[in-house]
Amino acid sequence: MAGVSLQCGDCGALLKSVEEAQEHAELTSHSNFAESTEPVLNLVCTTCSKPCRSKTESDLHTKRTGHTEFVDKTSETAKSISLEVPKGGSESQEGGTSDQNEELVVPEVDKKLLEELESMGFSTARATRALHFSGNASLEAAVTWIENHENTPDIDEMPLVPAVSKAQASKPSLTPEETNAILKELREKARKKKEEEEKRMEREREKERIRVGKELLEAKRIEEDNERKRLLALRKAEKEEERRAREKIRQKLEEDKAERRRKLGLPAEEPSTVKPSTVVEEKKSFLPIRPATKTEQMRECLRSLKQNHKEDDARVKKAFQTLLTYVGNVARNPNEEKFRKIRLSNAAFQERVGALKGGIEFLEICGFEKIDGGEVLFLPRDKVDIAVLNSAGSELDSAIKNPFFGVL
């Protein structure tokens, strides 16, 4: 089968004629061409009838115009290629008079592209010149040509070509030096753009790092403020409890004193001397008696444990930490029976908790029950109260962190 195209062995491009192969060679310096039976693709836009010679060109046309319908006329336009080099030198050898008498006309360019360039604000002469010298390749190529030749004196002059070469005038060839210069300039622009983008991204990352750092510092400050407030509130509550305890003791002493005087037959003291006790009694009569809450029972149990073993702070702290581990494991894994079951005969448990008065009592307040003849502490699944366990964890955590806990 006769060849219908010429294929560049260096880049694989398909060309319709020897003239196109020569232009391709001038632009790219490729020189390895061979006949091919594969026809040059010819996709014609059904909307504007623009021919596209590759899928890439049709995609660009779709992006630029929004036209999506194309008709494949490759088979209609395919024909055997002639390998004869066109004879264009004889006319030039006849003398310079014929060139001087030759009519000069405006080269034909893609009207659609011309209209788009004009709509972008370019003059007709500049747009025509850009399309002519960029080979009517695409809108992007024409704009690039304008950017590269913006300072050329005749950029706003309408280009003129001989009438006989009007058909070929729309595809001027570039010298290898011009091609290399354009490619070098494009690569330099791409490099600068990449560097600017990297710098911009680095600035954005630095801003993000600063923002995150500020947020972390603010969160840490707020957390420390809340911790200070919590410790102050705990100390205030402990002082209030101590004051109430001292007042109860004083009231009890006053009552005992009055009882002894009564038994001895002595007259009662003057009202002025027992006034504080009376005030306490009056206040007490107005305050409803309520049972101690779980939290209060836990706090009192921990305070008693520390009071009973105040000579060994390290051991008390270790007991508090062990209890915190027990209730924390159950709160996080309420369905795991191994965390809800403690064998009292375990040596580690006895050393850390069991041997200290108040340790087992604290676990019983949390819901643990003695089973198997008092050998095992067990917390049934249906009696697991996460709120109680969390409250126990908070009390233990406060007792561990507060050096004044339980100190009268």
Side-chain angles (χ1 to χ4, degrees):
M1 180 178 177
V4 294
S5 64
L6 288 175
Q7 186 173 25
C8 177
D10 297 315
C11 64
L14 293 174
L15 307 161
K16 292 195 299 184
S17 64
V18 174
E19 291 88 341
E20 288 190 2
Q22 289 175 336
E23 293 178 3
H24 182 76
E26 291 175 358
L27 288 171
T28 63
S29 298
H30 297 167
S31 59
N32 184 16
F33 297 94
E35 280 189 272
S36 174
T37 57
E38 182 181 355
V40 178
L41 189 65
N42 186 20
L43 298 176
V44 180
C45 176
T46 58
T47 305
C48 64
S49 301
K50 174 178 173 57
C52 299
R53 294 180 55 180
S54 66
K55 187 67 171 60
T56 302
E57 188 176 348
S58 65
D59 291 341
L60 288 174
H61 181 72
T62 299
K63 286 182 180 179
R64 188 169 62 249
T65 64
H67 302 165
T68 58
E69 298 294 331
F70 295 88
V71 177
D72 189 351
K73 294 188 178 182
T74 304
S75 58
E76 298 177 11
T77 57
K79 61 181 179 178
S80 299
I81 191 169
S82 173
L83 299 180
E84 294 182 2
V85 179
K87 298 178 181 180
S90 59
E91 294 181 1
S92 60
Q93 295 174 0
E94 293 178 359
T97 55
S98 60
D99 292 338
Q100 295 175 356
N101 297 328
E102 200 169 15
E103 182 184 0
L104 298 178
V105 295
V106 177
E108 290 184 359
V109 294
D110 190 302
K111 294 182 180 180
K112 285 283 184 180
L113 295 178
L114 180 62
E115 291 176 359
E116 291 183 21
L117 286 171
E118 289 177 342
S119 66
M120 293 170 65
F122 297 114
S123 65
T124 303
R126 182 175 292 201
T128 303
R129 182 173 288 272
L131 289 172
H132 170 63
F133 286 105
S134 64
N136 285 304
S138 65
L139 183 65
E140 293 79 2
V143 173
T144 301
W145 187 93
I146 292 175
E147 292 176 353
N148 294 335
H149 298 81
E150 194 168 5
N151 296 325
T152 304
D154 60 349
I155 190 171
D156 288 315
E157 295 180 7
M158 187 67 74
L160 298 175
V161 297
V164 294
S165 60
K166 186 177 180 180
Q168 290 83 12
S170 61
K171 293 184 179 180
S173 59
L174 297 175
T175 64
E177 291 77 9
E178 291 176 331
T179 302
N180 291 334
I182 292 173
L183 291 176
K184 183 178 180 181
E185 187 175 352
L186 290 174
R187 283 194 292 268
E188 183 65 18
K189 285 184 178 180
R191 185 186 64 79
K192 290 182 179 179
K193 185 176 181 181
K194 183 178 179 181
E195 290 179 354
E196 291 175 359
E197 182 65 18
E198 289 177 352
K199 291 179 180 178
R200 185 187 67 80
M201 292 297 294
E202 182 61 28
R203 288 195 295 270
E204 292 295 329
R205 286 192 291 268
E206 184 63 23
K207 289 180 181 179
E208 182 65 16
R209 283 195 292 270
I210 293 173
R211 184 188 66 80
V212 172
K214 289 181 178 179
E215 289 182 356
L216 289 175
L217 289 175
E218 181 64 17
K220 185 177 180 180
R221 185 189 64 77
I222 293 173
E223 183 180 359
E224 291 175 351
D225 288 346
N226 291 338
E227 182 65 17
R228 282 195 294 270
K229 291 177 181 178
R230 190 176 69 84
L231 289 175
L232 290 174
L234 285 173
R235 291 174 185 173
K236 185 177 180 181
E238 289 175 0
K239 289 180 179 179
E240 181 65 21
E241 289 182 3
E242 292 169 4
R243 187 190 64 76
R244 291 176 182 174
R246 286 195 295 269
E247 185 65 27
K248 286 181 180 179
I249 293 172
R250 190 191 64 76
Q251 181 183 351
K252 181 65 176 174
L253 291 174
E254 291 290 340
E255 291 175 353
D256 291 344
K257 185 177 179 181
E259 181 65 20
R260 286 195 300 271
R261 292 179 69 87
R262 187 184 62 78
K263 288 181 179 180
L264 294 172
L266 298 174
E269 290 185 347
E270 293 296 327
S272 58
T273 59
V274 296
K275 186 175 180 181
S277 178
T278 306
V279 173
V280 173
E281 286 295 330
E282 290 177 357
K283 289 184 178 179
K284 185 176 178 181
S285 63
F286 285 106
L287 294 174
I289 299 175
R290 60 174 179 80
T293 63
K294 286 271 189 183
T295 302
E296 292 172 340
Q297 293 177 16
M298 293 174 188
R299 189 179 301 132
E300 185 61 32
C301 183
L302 294 176
R303 186 177 286 107
S304 299
L305 191 152
K306 186 165 184 178
Q307 284 294 314
N308 292 333
H309 306 278
K310 58 184 177 182
E311 72 284 352
D312 195 349
D313 287 341
R315 191 178 182 190
V316 172
K317 187 174 182 180
K318 191 174 184 180
F320 287 172
Q321 292 172 339
T322 304
L323 290 171
L324 181 61
T325 301
Y326 281 133
V327 298
N329 287 338
V330 177
R332 289 189 294 271
N333 307 278
N335 295 320
E336 292 288 341
E337 184 176 333
K338 64 180 181 180
F339 294 127
R340 295 185 281 108
K341 190 173 184 180
I342 304 173
R343 193 168 296 280
L344 297 179
S345 59
N346 183 279
F349 174 80
Q350 281 296 325
E351 180 186 353
R352 298 178 181 179
V353 177
L356 277 70
K357 184 179 178 180
I360 295 177
E361 289 80 352
F362 183 84
L363 291 172
E364 289 177 334
I365 295 173
C366 294
F368 283 85
E369 302 172 354
K370 288 183 179 180
I371 60 173
D372 295 344
E375 294 295 325
V376 175
L377 277 176
F378 182 70
L379 178 56
R381 178 63 184 89
D382 57 348
K383 292 186 179 181
V384 173
D385 191 332
I386 301 298
V388 171
L389 294 174
N390 288 337
S391 179
S394 298
E395 292 299 323
L396 286 165
D397 187 58
S398 299
I400 292 170
K401 292 180 178 179
N402 184 7
F404 302 103
F405 179 80
V407 179
L408 292 176

